[in-house]
Amino acid sequence: MRKKVIVVGSLNYDIFTKIPHRPELGENLPVDEVSFSAGGKGANQAVQAAKLGMETYMAGCVGSDAMGDMLLASAEKFGLHTEYIRRTEEPTGMGLVSVLPDGSVYANIIRGANFAITREDVDRLGSLWDEAGYVMIQMEIPMDINRYVIDKAKAHGCKVVLNAAPAEKFENEYMKKCDILVVNEVEAGFYANEVIDSLEKACRLADKKAADMGNSWIITMGKQGAVVSNGQKHEVIPSEKVNAIETTGAGDSFIGGMIYALNHEMDLFDACRFATKCSAVTVSRVGAQDSMPTLKDLNTKQ
Ligand code: RIB
């Protein structure tokens, strides 16, 4: 089995502010607590896989600024291979994350350097395309690059996991080429064109999409758990009961954990059970990458 993992995606400098309530239009909301963390869906997923011990390589871009320095240092600290991350003139991408008292979040994402990635950056991964079992992609880089990655992965026998987030129109032709699609309930609603507010609806949607597209669909439903369908059957995997402090990166932790488990002979359903354990740890601390568990953290917890 090919044990290496590739991630082509985003790196963001996340700024978290703890706010007492969602501001009204025109309201100026004073904030007492602010913190900073390495983020970006691509980097988060890559770091989770690396923290679990996977040999993980990331292609992406950060600015030639202090935020870019911090993101690279953080990724390296967690064992991610960063030699395919390019420094650009564009500023580093950012996530401005507002955290509500119950731990739920909303965020503005500043694209910055993430949109400077080119096909050449993807090509520079060279022979890794023949050594990696999976590539993980998201929608925080230009979709043209994602199309290129999908075609390249398929040509090299590398499986594709697409985290279709933030939700954006994407041709069915390309979604079908992906092996596993992962979305949360809001993104699921976008792709279904209806509100997905119950596990029943999520199961129906995951089954339909997976059967129509001939791949597997996972819909993460926050506290309710995750719905997993391979087109023939589905399972609802309950989330672990934890005291959620801040949920940023929960989905990324889930995906990085799932990739680890798939690479350790688990089937998709067991892999998602393992993934929920990872995201449970991630939501119990503030920040995305810093909060993600290592194998030791998971074993200590059990
Ligand atoms: O999935 C969470 C991530 O989304 C954050 O780290 C933020 O940067 C955005 O990319």
Side-chain angles (χ1 to χ4, degrees):
M1 187 188 249
R2 298 174 176 193
K3 290 284 185 193
K4 292 180 181 167
V5 180
I6 294 173
V7 177
V8 181
S10 57
L11 303 99
N12 290 334
Y13 185 85
D14 286 346
I15 301 179
F16 294 87
T17 50
K18 269 200 169 180
I19 56 170
H21 58 85
R22 286 183 79 154
E24 299 295 327
L25 207 57
E27 180 181 0
N28 286 334
L29 194 57
V31 168
D32 290 323
E33 276 185 59
V34 66
S35 58
F36 310 91
S37 177
K41 292 185 193 305
N44 292 347
Q45 291 167 26
V47 161
Q48 178 61 92
K51 279 181 108 169
L52 292 168
M54 300 288 307
E55 208 176 317
T56 311
Y57 295 80
M58 178 157 190
C61 293
V62 294
S64 305
D65 47 28
M67 294 186 290
D69 293 344
M70 179 275 202
L71 294 185
L72 287 177
S74 168
E76 278 159 23
K77 177 179 83 185
F78 294 129
L80 179 63
H81 291 276
T82 59
E83 59 270 39
Y84 301 99
I85 298 173
R86 186 165 56 82
R87 309 298 296 256
T88 64
E89 282 180 11
E90 293 81 355
T92 296
M94 293 174 78
L96 305 179
V97 186
S98 301
V99 187
L100 290 157
D102 68 353
S104 58
V105 298
Y106 64 95
N108 297 321
I109 308 302
I110 299 158
R111 287 170 162 169
N114 293 311
F115 266 57
I117 190 169
T118 62
R119 291 179 176 211
E120 287 69 41
D121 292 316
V122 176
D123 290 342
R124 278 197 304 117
L125 289 158
S127 60
L128 284 169
W129 285 109
D130 296 310
E131 296 164 24
Y134 284 92
V135 58
M136 296 188 257
I137 52 176
Q138 313 76 30
M139 291 182 164
E140 291 187 329
I141 60 170
M143 292 310 290
D144 187 45
I145 299 297
N146 274 337
R147 288 185 196 94
Y148 187 68
V149 169
I150 292 169
D151 284 334
K152 184 146 194 142
K154 293 285 106 180
H156 288 263
C158 177
K159 290 187 177 156
V160 180
V161 176
L162 169 62
N163 175 210
E168 187 176 323
K169 279 210 167 113
F170 197 36
E171 301 87 349
N172 275 352
E173 176 201 345
Y174 272 94
M175 286 211 173
K176 283 182 184 167
K177 291 184 190 181
C178 299
D179 296 276
I180 303 173
L181 275 107
V182 187
V183 290
N184 67 19
E185 66 267 51
V186 177
E187 293 138 9
F190 175 89
Y191 294 111
N193 216 6
E194 67 166 295
V195 176
I196 302 298
D197 53 4
S198 68
L199 288 173
E200 292 69 33
K201 282 188 189 173
C203 289
R204 234 178 294 128
L205 176 65
D207 279 343
K208 179 164 174 21
K209 289 282 187 192
D212 287 354
M213 296 198 176
N215 51 20
S216 296
W217 276 67
I218 299 167
I219 305 178
T220 57
M221 300 285 291
K223 280 182 207 150
Q224 297 186 79
V227 167
V228 184
S229 176
N230 62 9
Q232 280 95 52
K233 66 164 190 165
H234 69 247
E235 262 189 55
V236 176
I237 305 207
S239 63
E240 306 233 320
K241 300 279 162 276
V242 285
N243 181 23
I245 303 291
E246 190 275 304
T247 58
T248 306
D252 301 328
S253 179
F254 182 99
I255 294 168
M258 177 189 76
I259 285 293
Y260 167 86
L262 288 172
N263 271 281
H264 287 77
E265 320 295 338
M266 288 187 217
D267 71 13
L268 183 63
F269 300 98
D270 284 341
C272 290
R273 264 182 276 283
F274 176 84
T276 58
K277 293 188 195 307
C278 295
S279 49
V281 174
T282 301
V283 301
S284 64
R285 309 190 271 218
V286 176
Q289 297 173 19
D290 291 321
S291 317
M292 292 174 175
T294 60
L295 284 181
K296 195 166 159 224
D297 294 330
L298 292 170
N299 292 334
T300 315
K301 198 179 147 273
Q302 279 158 6

